[in-house]
PDB file of all heavy atoms in Angstrom:
ATOM      1  N   GLN V  39      94.190 -29.143  35.014  1.00 91.00           N
ATOM      2  CA  GLN V  39      95.421 -29.695  35.597  1.00 91.00           C
ATOM      3  C   GLN V  39      95.704 -31.090  35.064  1.00 91.00           C
ATOM      4  O   GLN V  39      96.851 -31.432  34.740  1.00 91.00           O
ATOM      5  CB  GLN V  39      95.326 -29.710  37.126  1.00 91.00           C
ATOM      6  CG  GLN V  39      95.376 -28.336  37.739  1.00 91.00           C
ATOM      7  CD  GLN V  39      95.129 -28.352  39.237  1.00 91.00           C
ATOM      8  OE1 GLN V  39      94.970 -29.398  39.847  1.00 91.00           O
ATOM      9  NE2 GLN V  39      95.094 -27.170  39.828  1.00 91.00           N
ATOM     10  N   ALA V  40      94.679 -31.898  34.929  1.00 93.00           N
ATOM     11  CA  ALA V  40      94.850 -33.260  34.412  1.00 93.00           C
ATOM     12  C   ALA V  40      95.302 -33.232  32.953  1.00 93.00           C
ATOM     13  O   ALA V  40      96.127 -34.047  32.534  1.00 93.00           O
ATOM     14  CB  ALA V  40      93.545 -34.047  34.560  1.00 93.00           C
ATOM     15  N   MET V  41      94.765 -32.288  32.180  1.00 90.00           N
ATOM     16  CA  MET V  41      95.187 -32.173  30.777  1.00 90.00           C
ATOM     17  C   MET V  41      96.658 -31.804  30.686  1.00 90.00           C
ATOM     18  O   MET V  41      97.390 -32.340  29.852  1.00 90.00           O
ATOM     19  CB  MET V  41      94.329 -31.145  30.042  1.00 90.00           C
ATOM     20  CG  MET V  41      92.935 -31.659  29.741  1.00 90.00           C
ATOM     21  SD  MET V  41      92.042 -30.589  28.625  1.00 90.00           S
ATOM     22  CE  MET V  41      92.943 -30.845  27.115  1.00 90.00           C
ATOM     23  N   GLU V  42      97.097 -30.915  31.547  1.00 87.00           N
ATOM     24  CA  GLU V  42      98.511 -30.528  31.523  1.00 87.00           C
ATOM     25  C   GLU V  42      99.400 -31.716  31.896  1.00 87.00           C
ATOM     26  O   GLU V  42     100.463 -31.905  31.311  1.00 87.00           O
ATOM     27  CB  GLU V  42      98.765 -29.355  32.465  1.00 87.00           C
ATOM     28  CG  GLU V  42     100.179 -28.867  32.373  1.00 87.00           C
ATOM     29  CD  GLU V  42     100.311 -27.362  32.406  1.00 87.00           C
ATOM     30  OE1 GLU V  42      99.300 -26.661  32.555  1.00 87.00           O
ATOM     31  OE2 GLU V  42     101.442 -26.911  32.281  1.00 87.00           O
ATOM     32  N   LYS V  43      98.939 -32.551  32.809  1.00 90.00           N
ATOM     33  CA  LYS V  43      99.720 -33.730  33.208  1.00 90.00           C
ATOM     34  C   LYS V  43      99.921 -34.711  32.059  1.00 90.00           C
ATOM     35  O   LYS V  43     100.923 -35.414  32.012  1.00 90.00           O
ATOM     36  CB  LYS V  43      99.066 -34.445  34.385  1.00 90.00           C
ATOM     37  CG  LYS V  43      99.267 -33.758  35.709  1.00 90.00           C
ATOM     38  CD  LYS V  43      98.640 -34.546  36.832  1.00 90.00           C
ATOM     39  CE  LYS V  43      98.763 -33.776  38.130  1.00 90.00           C
ATOM     40  NZ  LYS V  43      98.053 -34.435  39.235  1.00 90.00           N
ATOM     41  N   VAL V  44      98.959 -34.777  31.128  1.00 87.00           N
ATOM     42  CA  VAL V  44      99.101 -35.697  29.993  1.00 87.00           C
ATOM     43  C   VAL V  44      99.682 -34.996  28.756  1.00 87.00           C
ATOM     44  O   VAL V  44      99.693 -35.567  27.673  1.00 87.00           O
ATOM     45  CB  VAL V  44      97.780 -36.437  29.645  1.00 87.00           C
ATOM     46  CG1 VAL V  44      97.332 -37.306  30.785  1.00 87.00           C
ATOM     47  CG2 VAL V  44      96.695 -35.469  29.214  1.00 87.00           C
ATOM     48  N   GLY V  45     100.166 -33.765  28.926  1.00 82.00           N
ATOM     49  CA  GLY V  45     100.896 -33.101  27.856  1.00 82.00           C
ATOM     50  C   GLY V  45     100.159 -32.053  27.049  1.00 82.00           C
ATOM     51  O   GLY V  45     100.664 -31.603  26.029  1.00 82.00           O
ATOM     52  N   PHE V  46      98.982 -31.641  27.485  1.00 83.00           N
ATOM     53  CA  PHE V  46      98.234 -30.619  26.762  1.00 83.00           C
ATOM     54  C   PHE V  46      98.195 -29.341  27.585  1.00 83.00           C
ATOM     55  O   PHE V  46      97.972 -29.381  28.788  1.00 83.00           O
ATOM     56  CB  PHE V  46      96.808 -31.089  26.465  1.00 83.00           C
ATOM     57  CG  PHE V  46      96.765 -32.230  25.497  1.00 83.00           C
ATOM     58  CD1 PHE V  46      96.679 -33.529  25.948  1.00 83.00           C
ATOM     59  CD2 PHE V  46      96.835 -31.997  24.136  1.00 83.00           C
ATOM     60  CE1 PHE V  46      96.659 -34.587  25.063  1.00 83.00           C
ATOM     61  CE2 PHE V  46      96.815 -33.049  23.241  1.00 83.00           C
ATOM     62  CZ  PHE V  46      96.725 -34.351  23.705  1.00 83.00           C
ATOM     63  N   ARG V  47      98.413 -28.215  26.923  1.00 78.00           N
ATOM     64  CA  ARG V  47      98.419 -26.923  27.605  1.00 78.00           C
ATOM     65  C   ARG V  47      97.248 -26.097  27.083  1.00 78.00           C
ATOM     66  O   ARG V  47      97.378 -25.397  26.076  1.00 78.00           O
ATOM     67  CB  ARG V  47      99.739 -26.218  27.356  1.00 78.00           C
ATOM     68  CG  ARG V  47     100.887 -27.085  27.877  1.00 78.00           C
ATOM     69  CD  ARG V  47     102.124 -26.354  28.090  1.00 78.00           C
ATOM     70  NE  ARG V  47     101.871 -25.169  28.886  1.00 78.00           N
ATOM     71  CZ  ARG V  47     102.771 -24.243  29.081  1.00 78.00           C
ATOM     72  NH1 ARG V  47     103.950 -24.364  28.565  1.00 78.00           N
ATOM     73  NH2 ARG V  47     102.501 -23.183  29.799  1.00 78.00           N
ATOM     74  N   PRO V  48      96.117 -26.191  27.753  1.00 80.00           N
ATOM     75  CA  PRO V  48      94.914 -25.498  27.258  1.00 80.00           C
ATOM     76  C   PRO V  48      95.072 -23.992  27.089  1.00 80.00           C
ATOM     77  O   PRO V  48      94.435 -23.409  26.226  1.00 80.00           O
ATOM     78  CB  PRO V  48      93.862 -25.815  28.326  1.00 80.00           C
ATOM     79  CG  PRO V  48      94.338 -27.074  28.947  1.00 80.00           C
ATOM     80  CD  PRO V  48      95.838 -26.990  28.928  1.00 80.00           C
ATOM     81  N   GLU V  49      95.944 -23.350  27.863  1.00 79.00           N
ATOM     82  CA  GLU V  49      96.078 -21.897  27.746  1.00 79.00           C
ATOM     83  C   GLU V  49      96.659 -21.481  26.398  1.00 79.00           C
ATOM     84  O   GLU V  49      96.510 -20.344  25.980  1.00 79.00           O
ATOM     85  CB  GLU V  49      96.916 -21.312  28.896  1.00 79.00           C
ATOM     86  CG  GLU V  49      98.403 -21.658  28.844  1.00 79.00           C
ATOM     87  CD  GLU V  49      98.759 -22.962  29.523  1.00 79.00           C
ATOM     88  OE1 GLU V  49      97.866 -23.733  29.882  1.00 79.00           O
ATOM     89  OE2 GLU V  49      99.956 -23.224  29.694  1.00 79.00           O
ATOM     90  N   ASN V  50      97.326 -22.394  25.695  1.00 78.00           N
ATOM     91  CA  ASN V  50      97.875 -22.066  24.381  1.00 78.00           C
ATOM     92  C   ASN V  50      97.012 -22.573  23.232  1.00 78.00           C
ATOM     93  O   ASN V  50      97.388 -22.462  22.074  1.00 78.00           O
ATOM     94  CB  ASN V  50      99.290 -22.646  24.243  1.00 78.00           C
ATOM     95  CG  ASN V  50     100.272 -21.931  25.145  1.00 78.00           C
ATOM     96  OD1 ASN V  50     100.103 -20.767  25.453  1.00 78.00           O
ATOM     97  ND2 ASN V  50     101.291 -22.641  25.575  1.00 78.00           N
ATOM     98  N   ALA V  51      95.846 -23.115  23.547  1.00 81.00           N
ATOM     99  CA  ALA V  51      95.007 -23.739  22.519  1.00 81.00           C
ATOM    100  C   ALA V  51      94.557 -22.767  21.443  1.00 81.00           C
ATOM    101  O   ALA V  51      94.350 -23.165  20.305  1.00 81.00           O
ATOM    102  CB  ALA V  51      93.785 -24.397  23.161  1.00 81.00           C
ATOM    103  N   ASP V  52      94.415 -21.509  21.758  1.00 82.00           N
ATOM    104  CA  ASP V  52      93.975 -20.545  20.753  1.00 82.00           C
ATOM    105  C   ASP V  52      95.037 -19.480  20.512  1.00 82.00           C
ATOM    106  O   ASP V  52      94.725 -18.352  20.184  1.00 82.00           O
ATOM    107  CB  ASP V  52      92.655 -19.908  21.174  1.00 82.00           C
ATOM    108  CG  ASP V  52      91.846 -19.459  19.974  1.00 82.00           C
ATOM    109  OD1 ASP V  52      92.021 -20.031  18.884  1.00 82.00           O
ATOM    110  OD2 ASP V  52      91.055 -18.507  20.132  1.00 82.00           O
ATOM    111  N   SER V  53      96.312 -19.856  20.687  1.00 89.00           N
ATOM    112  CA  SER V  53      97.394 -18.894  20.503  1.00 89.00           C
ATOM    113  C   SER V  53      98.220 -19.250  19.276  1.00 89.00           C
ATOM    114  O   SER V  53      98.017 -20.284  18.635  1.00 89.00           O
ATOM    115  CB  SER V  53      98.297 -18.867  21.740  1.00 89.00           C
ATOM    116  OG  SER V  53      99.221 -19.933  21.718  1.00 89.00           O
ATOM    117  N   ILE V  54      99.173 -18.420  18.971  1.00 93.00           N
ATOM    118  CA  ILE V  54     100.066 -18.647  17.848  1.00 93.00           C
ATOM    119  C   ILE V  54     100.874 -19.937  18.017  1.00 93.00           C
ATOM    120  O   ILE V  54     101.383 -20.494  17.046  1.00 93.00           O
ATOM    121  CB  ILE V  54     100.997 -17.425  17.650  1.00 93.00           C
ATOM    122  CG1 ILE V  54     101.702 -17.501  16.293  1.00 93.00           C
ATOM    123  CG2 ILE V  54     101.977 -17.293  18.816  1.00 93.00           C
ATOM    124  CD1 ILE V  54     102.414 -16.227  15.897  1.00 93.00           C
ATOM    125  N   LEU V  55     100.976 -20.445  19.245  1.00 92.00           N
ATOM    126  CA  LEU V  55     101.695 -21.696  19.485  1.00 92.00           C
ATOM    127  C   LEU V  55     100.904 -22.919  19.034  1.00 92.00           C
ATOM    128  O   LEU V  55     101.426 -24.023  19.019  1.00 92.00           O
ATOM    129  CB  LEU V  55     102.049 -21.850  20.967  1.00 92.00           C
ATOM    130  CG  LEU V  55     102.993 -20.792  21.537  1.00 92.00           C
ATOM    131  CD1 LEU V  55     103.320 -21.114  22.984  1.00 92.00           C
ATOM    132  CD2 LEU V  55     104.257 -20.661  20.723  1.00 92.00           C
ATOM    133  N   ASN V  56      99.651 -22.723  18.660  1.00 91.00           N
ATOM    134  CA  ASN V  56      98.802 -23.823  18.193  1.00 91.00           C
ATOM    135  C   ASN V  56      98.807 -23.850  16.668  1.00 91.00           C
ATOM    136  O   ASN V  56      97.845 -23.472  16.019  1.00 91.00           O
ATOM    137  CB  ASN V  56      97.385 -23.642  18.743  1.00 91.00           C
ATOM    138  CG  ASN V  56      96.493 -24.810  18.397  1.00 91.00           C
ATOM    139  OD1 ASN V  56      96.949 -25.916  18.153  1.00 91.00           O
ATOM    140  ND2 ASN V  56      95.200 -24.561  18.369  1.00 91.00           N
ATOM    141  N   VAL V  57      99.921 -24.295  16.106  1.00 94.00           N
ATOM    142  CA  VAL V  57     100.055 -24.384  14.655  1.00 94.00           C
ATOM    143  C   VAL V  57      99.321 -25.640  14.176  1.00 94.00           C
ATOM    144  O   VAL V  57      99.552 -26.731  14.684  1.00 94.00           O
ATOM    145  CB  VAL V  57     101.537 -24.439  14.241  1.00 94.00           C
ATOM    146  CG1 VAL V  57     101.682 -24.610  12.736  1.00 94.00           C
ATOM    147  CG2 VAL V  57     102.268 -23.177  14.712  1.00 94.00           C
ATOM    148  N   VAL V  58      98.435 -25.473  13.217  1.00 94.00           N
ATOM    149  CA  VAL V  58      97.688 -26.604  12.665  1.00 94.00           C
ATOM    150  C   VAL V  58      98.478 -27.188  11.497  1.00 94.00           C
ATOM    151  O   VAL V  58      98.944 -26.450  10.628  1.00 94.00           O
ATOM    152  CB  VAL V  58      96.289 -26.160  12.186  1.00 94.00           C
ATOM    153  CG1 VAL V  58      95.600 -27.256  11.399  1.00 94.00           C
ATOM    154  CG2 VAL V  58      95.434 -25.755  13.387  1.00 94.00           C
TER     155      VAL V  58
END
Side-chain angles (χ1 to χ4, degrees):
Q39 290 174 3
M41 286 191 69
E42 185 139 3
K43 284 182 185 174
V44 297
F46 293 96
R47 301 199 51 189
E49 70 272 10
N50 291 331
D52 207 26
S53 81
I54 193 169
L55 297 183
N56 185 24
V57 177
V58 170

